[in-house]
Amino acid sequence: MLHSLAIISTLFGISSLAAAGSMAFFRNTGSSCPTHYTEWAGTPHAPFSAGPLRIPTMRPPPECRSFTSAAVEKELSRISAQITDPDIRQLFINIMPNTLDTAIAWHYAGGTKDKLDYPYTFVITGDINAQWTRDSTNQLLPLLPYAAADASLNTLIAGLVNMQAEQIAAYPFANAYKPPARSGLVPGENGWAKGDTVHPPFDLRTVFEAKFEIDSLAAFFKLSTAFWRQQQQQDADSLLDMGVWRRAVTIAVELLVQLQAPTFDSEQRLTDATVRFVRTANTPTESSFGGGRGNPIRRTGMVRTLFRPSDDSVIFPFLVPANAMLAVELRALADILDKTGDTTIASRSRRLAEDITHGIYEFGTAEHPKYGHVFAYEVDGYGSRLLMDDANVPSLLALPYLGFVNATDPIYQNTRRMLLSPDNPWYFSNGTSGLLNGIGSPHTGFRKVWPMSVAIQALTSNDQQEIVEAVRVLAASTAGLGLMHESVDIDSANGNSFTRPWFAWCNGVVSELITRVVSEYPGLL
């Protein structure tokens, strides 16, 4: 296991977000370790699977891995032994431990309980050298069930909860952060961020990007409550810095309440803008409307945001799937806060969740001429509705995965049929079965499907044929590299045209899908 303060000596030596593709291996103890995992991820390595896809072996050598968990290795062996398809089996072996293998940039396991020395973990998203709150939650959360059998893994995840709490307590408006100074890591530079005009202002020494996205706060709540539920309270208190965590939770909840406010008061005067973001860029999705405030809204009970989970700006500030995720996680948070004795903020969280849920059903739905009553993607409270979906989670397609509705919910089923059709402007298909068809994102442009959306489609389905077909097309979409990518051009053969060779979040989601299939449908793969 890796428990040292400085696992890496050279990191984050980049000048812009676009150039963030050079990441050193994290335990470079010998010549067997390549310089950069992005280089490793771009070259297929032997041995290859015996199936027609010839999936390569893409795990780095053991001595080069950034963290190793005996429990995860045991589970990896157990699950892979139940997969008879050699290509899918090798894909699963590559992607299930990918975050542990490659993305634990820094981990401090803490000291003794008497010193109140807590663990901290800094998790990068892959080929971008920063910690996104949303991504890091989704990268480690699928591994939480195995932490009960591995104290070091449990400490690693507790370290991420502490790291997120520290970051949010200091500045809750960011989507991505730099490593703390005490890590000894060399922080990277986001070339865009230096020119951004943001309110409240941020510290370039600690914040990588200050795009405000409400799902980032929801992701913090989700990881915190999931971790807390798995522990006995005494164990949680010994691993988590509850003082900092309470402060982060309180700051986040109070901020979300403020962001329910309309753009104009009853006399049509501008209300206080809690957050603003302006960036000079040639891509309109990189900045916010209205001088950074976002487009006008009326009070609905929902919480406004400036950016989507894709890091693209919203058109209408009430992003329905992000609000749905918030409602679910605020209720879970309130239950934990009741147990910790923080009843005032628990009550505030529960009331906010109720406001949001009511707002979604009153303002966040629409009557579609073809599909009937559906959820909208974004609304403004004035009656404007955007009917689409984006591959990034939280998405409308993911509503059952998020826990907001049951997959059989009639409104969701209507919405799902709309989203998985050309009536969703960001759904792409080349008309060929067996190839990648699914939802993309304005973030990557036209006719580029995100494998994550295909995985979410399967994770929200009970149709065995749909599920197994999704797994098979995902395995065939890796351009022969055996790892999941951010997006794939559906007009390219074998997924050879793609973005981001090292995208740990998607690796985690697809491994979560395969794990579910093996568990619920033995023998299907």
Side-chain angles (χ1 to χ4, degrees), residues 140-155:
L140 285 190
L141 201 56
L143 303 177
L144 182 58
Y146 316 130
D150 188 336
S152 65
L153 179 62
N154 200 53
T155 300

Side-chain angles (χ1 to χ4, degrees), residues 134-452:
R134 169 188 55 256
D135 291 39
S136 59
T137 287
N138 286 293
Q139 286 169 252
L140 285 190
L141 201 56
L143 303 177
L144 182 58
Y146 316 130
D150 188 336
S152 65
L153 179 62
N154 200 53
T155 300
L156 182 82
I157 298 173
L160 180 58
V161 176
N162 287 329
M163 189 78 267
Q164 290 182 352
E166 180 180 288
Q167 292 162 340
I168 288 168
Y171 188 79
F173 305 94
N175 57 329
Y177 298 87
K178 295 179 181 180
R182 66 185 181 279
S183 69
L185 304 179
V186 179
E189 297 297 333
N190 176 357
W192 288 107
K194 294 179 180 179
D196 294 341
T197 302
V198 180
H199 174 79
F202 64 95
D203 189 340
L204 277 167
R205 294 171 298 179
T206 57
V207 172
F208 187 80
E209 188 168 61
K211 289 179 174 177
F212 179 68
E213 303 163 2
I214 58 173
D215 70 282
S216 293
L217 298 179
F220 165 57
F221 298 155
K222 184 171 187 173
L223 180 66
S224 296
T225 56
F227 179 80
W228 208 97
R229 280 195 300 264
Q230 185 160 296
Q231 314 298 309
Q232 297 294 326
Q233 182 167 354
Q234 183 177 357
D235 294 337
D237 288 349
S238 68
L239 288 170
L240 301 183
D241 187 337
M242 294 300 291
V244 174
W245 184 81
R246 285 187 175 97
R247 187 160 68 250
V249 165
T250 301
I251 288 170
V253 171
E254 293 300 330
L255 171 60
L256 294 169
V257 170
Q258 292 175 33
L259 290 166
Q260 292 179 292
T263 303
F264 305 105
D265 65 17
S266 59
E267 297 182 4
Q268 284 297 294
R269 295 173 300 195
L270 275 171
T271 56
D272 180 51
T274 307
V275 57
R276 295 193 301 269
F277 184 98
V278 175
R279 171 176 289 175
T280 301
N282 58 7
T283 304
T285 54
E286 285 297 309
S287 192
S288 297
F289 296 95
R293 292 172 172 264
N295 276 322
I297 55 167
R298 281 181 169 166
R299 181 179 292 274
T300 65
M302 287 184 279
V303 176
R304 69 182 175 94
T305 190
L306 293 182
F307 289 87
R308 300 169 178 170
S310 62
D311 299 335
D312 296 327
S313 61
V314 296
I315 295 175
F316 303 124
F318 293 130
L319 179 59
V320 171
N323 271 275
M325 181 182 181
L326 262 183
V328 171
E329 299 310 328
L330 283 164
R331 289 190 181 94
L333 176 67
D335 291 343
I336 298 302
L337 292 169
D338 284 338
K339 292 181 174 65
T340 60
D342 299 287
T343 54
T344 300
I345 195 67
S347 175
R348 202 151 173 76
S349 300
R350 198 169 279 115
R351 185 166 61 250
L352 179 56
E354 292 170 359
D355 286 349
I356 291 170
T357 302
H358 177 77
I360 288 174
Y361 281 102
E362 183 172 355
F363 298 96
T365 63
E367 287 297 325
H368 193 283
K370 183 175 178 180
Y371 299 100
H373 202 42
V374 299
F375 289 107
Y377 187 66
E378 292 172 0
V379 299
D380 61 4
Y382 286 92
S384 303
R385 296 174 175 87
L386 180 60
L387 301 184
M388 59 160 279
D389 204 15
D390 187 292
N392 286 265
V393 179
S395 62
L396 291 178
L397 186 64
L399 288 178
Y401 175 78
L402 299 171
F404 184 72
V405 295
N406 189 286
T408 59
D409 179 88
I411 304 176
Y412 173 74
Q413 281 297 316
N414 292 344
T415 308
R416 182 185 179 92
R417 289 188 295 114
M418 176 185 71
L419 300 179
L420 298 176
S421 80
D423 292 312
N424 171 11
W426 293 98
Y427 177 85
F428 303 117
S429 170
N430 58 18
T432 305
S433 63
L435 297 179
L436 202 65
N437 301 310
I439 299 172
S441 171
H443 195 70
T444 47
F446 301 134
R447 295 187 67 76
K448 293 181 174 62
V449 171
W450 285 49
M452 186 184 300

Side-chain angles (χ1 to χ4, degrees), residues 65-185:
R65 296 170 188 169
S66 58
F67 191 89
T68 302
S69 162
V72 170
E73 295 297 326
K74 181 178 179 180
E75 193 68 7
L76 179 63
S77 297
R78 184 190 70 81
I79 296 173
S80 59
Q82 299 178 61
I83 302 172
T84 58
D85 184 299
D87 293 325
I88 295 173
R89 181 170 59 247
Q90 185 58 54
L91 175 67
F92 180 73
I93 291 170
N94 292 342
I95 63 176
M96 191 260 206
N98 185 252
T99 287
L100 296 186
D101 284 353
T102 68
I104 309 302
W106 172 68
H107 174 54
Y108 173 61
T112 65
K113 184 178 179 181
D114 293 339
K115 293 182 179 179
L116 296 178
D117 195 9
Y118 299 102
Y120 290 89
T121 307
F122 191 80
V123 182
I124 60 171
T125 184
D127 56 3
I128 299 177
N129 305 332
Q131 179 174 295
W132 265 252
T133 306
R134 169 188 55 256
D135 291 39
S136 59
T137 287
N138 286 293
Q139 286 169 252
L140 285 190
L141 201 56
L143 303 177
L144 182 58
Y146 316 130
D150 188 336
S152 65
L153 179 62
N154 200 53
T155 300
L156 182 82
I157 298 173
L160 180 58
V161 176
N162 287 329
M163 189 78 267
Q164 290 182 352
E166 180 180 288
Q167 292 162 340
I168 288 168
Y171 188 79
F173 305 94
N175 57 329
Y177 298 87
K178 295 179 181 180
R182 66 185 181 279
S183 69
L185 304 179

